[in-house]
């Protein structure tokens, strides 16, 4: 090698190193500032660096997809505090309104188990809301048995989805696919942890799309969205929150339910399509709560039964019949009326309620949708501006609860829905304990501290900041900590503040 070749080699190596460094810096910046999962997943650097991890076989094969996805499907274990026993009369109870430790039913932990899917390298995980609902603690186990404690970023009962976060980096994750492009008859894999059997992979096909099976009925405001992908891949209890992927290893759904009379797999399972999953996850990541854009119409599937009930003869065999239009809604402002039959949204056919709900659920308040409908046999089109449940187009941000740590115990403000449920004016929830003194005294994760009794009297706790201040001012004292568990069980314990 002559000098000219040597220096050219150094220059080329420097250029390559610079490109990689810039790509790495760009990737890290994206990961830290991204407000949606397209940005978090969209980096050629991660793909390029991970190519050597997987050997892609030729032809149609389940191996490649399973190999890519399995490391990113996690085991989710949630703990819920429950109690046994009956309330009894006691002087301490009558004075303070709490049971004494001798008379109180001792709290214990109930557990549930499910699955989750890592959707970003920095530890965001999607799962079902019913897997972690009312949990006091959530533990995550990776395929390699590495374990983490997870916190809830946000939940959406109307789609049965939840977004969790673990503190980790460089994790394997599953990329979002396009559930719209998924076809009936296409091969898919279900990956999860049925019956606590970790990293289980089953195969099947897409049996149907836009299925409404009525499992989310009776939710508040009747805003549930059911437009499931149906598959015959074997799914059992414990698969909830796991991945449904195509042969390219892309996430096309989150496994949620099974059709069964026995509680185990009877032939069909249902998954929330990725089109909804991604929108909900982006909302929870950016705003902490889901932004629901509503058309403001009450709807039913067109059917012979509906024709008979209404005494009408429809011009089409399929479509979405408008039963009523809410006053002041986007639908009313767009000119929709009772008796119209909606057959399309934004260029896509909507032959049933599930399809229409899915299309609208992808939007936020303020977004516009083109609605194609029939009125007395004539095809018309209108543009509607979607509104939120309050009837305006504002985006709502959920304030993150204040979190404080004192002496190895971490507290945060009680969530608004928990306050409402338990009729609390304030309080601070214990979300992590590494202090042995507190553990021995009876403190448990999930316990809500509402009052503290010290030498100066009784203090009502309004939130985590308030509790932290009181503990700081009470160092060296023996305190009585009073409160309630998320299930409504009142309890107290004594602890010396160090």
């Amino acid at each position: 090698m002559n000098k000219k070749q040597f220096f050219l080699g150094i220059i080329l190596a420097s250029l390559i190193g610079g490109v990689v460094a810039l790509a790495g810096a760009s990737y890290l910046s994206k990961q830290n500032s991204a407000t949606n999962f397209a940005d978090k997943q969209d980096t050629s650097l991660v793909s390029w660096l991970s190519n050597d991890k997987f050997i892609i076989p030729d032809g149609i094969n389940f191996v490649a997809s399973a190999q890519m996805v399995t490391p990113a499907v996690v085991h989710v274990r949630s703990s819920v505090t429950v109690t046994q026993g009956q309330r009894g009369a006691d002087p301490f109870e009558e004075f303070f309104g709490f049971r004494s430790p001798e008379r109180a039913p001792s709290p214990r932990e109930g557990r549930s188990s499910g699955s989750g899917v890592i959707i970003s390298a920095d530890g965001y995980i999607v799962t079902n809301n019913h897997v972690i609902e009312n949990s006091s603690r959530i533990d995550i186990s990776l395929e390699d048995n590495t374990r983490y404690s997870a916190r809830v970023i946000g939940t959406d009962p109307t789609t049965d989805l939840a977004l969790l976060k673990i503190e980790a980096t460089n994790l394997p994750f599953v990329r979002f696919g396009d559930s719209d492009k998924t076809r009936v008859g296409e091969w898919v894999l279900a990956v999860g942890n049925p019956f606590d059997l970790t990293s289980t992979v089953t195969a099947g096909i897409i049996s149907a799309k836009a299925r409404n099976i009525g499992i989310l009925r009776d939710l508040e405001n009747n805003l549930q969205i059911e437009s499931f992908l149906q598959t015959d891949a074997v799914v059992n209890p414990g698969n909830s929150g796991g991945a449904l992927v195509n042969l390219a290893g892309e996430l096309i759904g989150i496994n949620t339910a099974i059709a069964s009379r026995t509680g185990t797999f009877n032939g069909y399972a249902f998954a929330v399509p990725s089109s909804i999953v991604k929108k909900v996850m982006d909302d929870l990541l950016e705003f902490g709560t889901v932004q629901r854009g509503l058309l403001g119409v009450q709807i039913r599937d067109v059917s012979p039964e509906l024709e008979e009930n209404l005494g009408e003869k429809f011009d089409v065999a399929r479509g979405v019949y408008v039963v009523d239009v809410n006053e002041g809604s986007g639908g009313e402002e767009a000119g929709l009326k009772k008796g119209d039959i909606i057959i399309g949204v934004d260029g896509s056919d909507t032959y049933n309620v599930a399809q229409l709900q899915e299309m609208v659920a992808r939007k936020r308040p303020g977004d516009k949708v083109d609605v194609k409908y029939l009125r007395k046999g004539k095809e018309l089109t209108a543009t509607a501006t979607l509104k939120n449940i309050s009837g305006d187009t504002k985006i709502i941000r959920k304030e993150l609860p204040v979190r404080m740590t004192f002496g190895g115990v971490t507290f945060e403000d009680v969530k608004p829905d928990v306050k409402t449920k338990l009729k609390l004016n304030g309080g601070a929830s214990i979300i992590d304990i590494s202090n042995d003194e507190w553990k021995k005294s009876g403190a448990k994760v999930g316990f809500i501290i509402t009052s503290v009794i010290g030498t100066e009297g009784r203090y009502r706790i309004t939130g985590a900041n308030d509790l932290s201040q009181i503990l700081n001012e009470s160092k060296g004292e023996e305190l009585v900590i009073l409160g309630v568990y998320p299930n409504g069980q009142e309890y107290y314990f004594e602890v010396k503040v160090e």
Side-chain angles (χ1 to χ4, degrees):
M1 179 186 295
N2 58 37
K3 287 185 177 180
K4 185 176 180 180
Q5 290 174 318
F6 176 74
F7 285 116
L8 282 173
I10 290 176
I11 292 170
L12 182 59
S14 299
L15 286 171
I16 293 172
V19 169
V20 171
L22 285 171
S26 173
Y27 166 66
L28 291 173
S29 175
K30 264 187 165 184
Q31 287 289 303
N32 291 330
S33 63
T35 57
N36 64 71
F37 285 96
D39 287 344
K40 282 184 168 293
Q41 294 185 349
D42 184 20
T43 164
S44 58
L45 181 64
V46 169
S47 299
W48 176 65
L49 290 176
S50 62
N51 277 345
D52 61 345
K53 294 182 181 178
F54 306 107
I55 300 172
I56 310 299
D58 294 330
I60 296 177
N61 198 302
F62 302 143
V63 175
S65 181
Q67 190 180 11
M68 286 188 287
V69 173
T70 302
V73 176
V74 302
H75 198 173
V76 181
R77 295 182 179 91
S78 59
S79 303
V80 180
T81 302
V82 296
T83 54
Q84 291 179 319
Q86 299 295 323
R87 193 182 179 103
D90 183 89
F92 188 90
E93 177 180 315
E94 291 174 6
F95 187 73
F96 290 116
F98 287 79
R99 297 173 184 78
S100 68
E102 292 77 18
R103 300 295 296 270
S106 57
R108 61 181 179 82
E109 282 191 335
R111 293 185 176 273
S112 66
S113 177
S115 305
V117 184
I118 303 173
I119 52 175
S120 71
D122 55 347
Y124 284 95
I125 297 170
V126 58
T127 187
N128 284 140
N129 177 63
H130 75 258
V131 171
I132 55 91
E133 192 172 21
N134 298 322
S135 60
S136 57
R137 180 182 178 87
I138 302 171
D139 295 304
I140 302 295
S141 298
L142 272 57
E143 184 200 25
D144 63 4
N145 209 32
T146 305
R147 301 192 177 184
Y148 299 91
S149 178
R151 58 189 174 95
V152 179
I153 300 299
T155 63
D156 180 33
T158 66
T159 55
D160 196 20
L161 294 171
L163 179 63
L164 310 179
K165 179 72 167 68
I166 59 176
E167 299 308 317
T169 57
N170 300 320
L171 294 172
F173 62 87
V174 184
R175 293 180 178 277
F176 281 107
D178 188 348
S179 54
D180 287 349
K181 295 179 180 178
T182 301
R183 296 172 295 177
V184 173
E186 179 180 339
W187 281 106
V188 291
L189 299 183
V191 186
N193 305 283
F195 306 120
D196 281 338
L197 300 171
T198 58
S199 305
T200 297
V201 180
T202 57
I205 62 168
I206 296 294
S207 306
K209 300 177 68 173
R211 282 285 198 232
N212 185 329
I213 58 175
I215 63 168
L216 300 179
R217 64 168 66 95
D218 299 326
L219 288 176
E220 186 179 356
N221 298 316
N222 200 33
L223 294 178
Q224 66 272 14
I225 302 296
E226 290 194 34
S227 184
F228 295 117
L229 298 176
Q230 179 180 315
T231 176
D232 64 353
V234 177
V235 170
N236 274 302
N239 273 109
S240 290
L244 187 71
V245 299
N246 58 24
L247 293 190
E250 297 171 329
L251 186 68
I252 59 169
I254 293 297
N255 296 315
T256 298
I258 56 176
S260 174
R261 295 179 179 177
T262 63
T264 57
F265 185 72
N266 268 14
Y268 296 109
F270 302 91
V272 181
S274 61
S275 59
I276 293 178
V277 176
K278 185 180 182 303
K279 192 270 180 182
V280 171
M281 294 303 104
D282 285 346
D283 280 355
L284 295 179
L285 176 68
E286 185 173 359
F287 306 110
T289 188
V290 173
Q291 309 299 316
R292 288 292 301 276
L294 304 175
L295 189 56
V297 293
Q298 299 172 38
I299 50 181
R300 294 273 303 275
D301 285 336
V302 167
S303 67
E305 292 78 14
L306 185 60
E307 284 183 323
E308 185 177 343
N309 289 340
L310 296 176
E312 295 183 33
K313 180 63 180 176
F314 300 141
D315 298 307
V316 289
R318 296 189 299 172
V320 180
Y321 181 83
V322 177
V323 178
D324 203 0
V325 181
N326 297 339
E327 185 178 350
S329 66
E332 183 188 56
E333 292 174 358
L336 292 176
K337 296 181 179 180
K338 177 181 177 180
D340 291 342
I341 298 176
I342 299 173
I343 56 174
V345 171
D346 286 344
S348 295
D349 295 332
T350 53
Y351 291 135
N352 56 47
V353 167
Q355 289 176 319
L356 176 59
Q357 287 181 325
E358 180 183 346
M359 293 301 298
V360 175
R362 303 178 190 186
K363 307 289 186 178
R364 292 174 176 172
D367 288 347
K368 297 181 184 298
V369 294
D370 293 326
V371 182
K372 184 167 65 173
Y373 62 99
L374 299 175
R375 179 178 293 168
K376 296 181 179 179
K378 184 178 179 180
E379 186 175 301
L380 301 170
T381 302
T383 299
T385 300
L386 303 180
K387 298 185 178 182
N388 60 30
I389 190 67
S390 300
D392 56 45
T393 58
K394 293 179 181 178
I395 294 294
I396 301 169
R397 291 183 180 272
K398 183 178 179 181
E399 295 294 329
L400 294 176
V402 174
R403 180 175 292 191
M404 304 292 291
T405 299
F406 176 88
V409 185
T410 302
F411 316 91
E412 73 175 16
D413 290 348
V414 182
K415 294 180 175 61
D417 59 330
V418 177
K419 281 185 182 180
T420 301
K421 175 184 174 184
L422 299 178
K423 299 179 181 179
L424 300 175
N425 294 321
S429 300
I430 299 176
I431 61 171
D432 190 55
I433 307 173
S434 59
N435 185 309
D436 290 336
E437 182 71 23
W438 280 68
K439 288 181 180 178
K440 291 176 184 176
S441 297
K444 292 183 181 294
V445 170
F447 185 69
I448 300 169
I449 299 173
T450 57
S451 298
V452 171
I453 301 175
T455 56
E456 299 296 321
R458 181 169 178 164
Y459 306 91
R460 298 286 181 183
I461 303 302
T462 59
N465 267 325
D466 186 29
L467 177 60
S468 180
Q469 182 179 343
I470 291 170
L471 293 176
N472 272 303
E473 294 172 354
S474 305
K475 288 182 179 178
E477 287 188 41
E478 291 272 358
L479 298 181
V480 178
I481 308 294
L482 306 100
V484 61
Y485 283 97
N487 67 344
Q489 172 65 58
E490 298 168 341
Y491 197 70
Y492 82 96
F493 57 89
E494 299 177 13
V495 66
K496 184 174 182 180
V497 180
E498 299 293 347

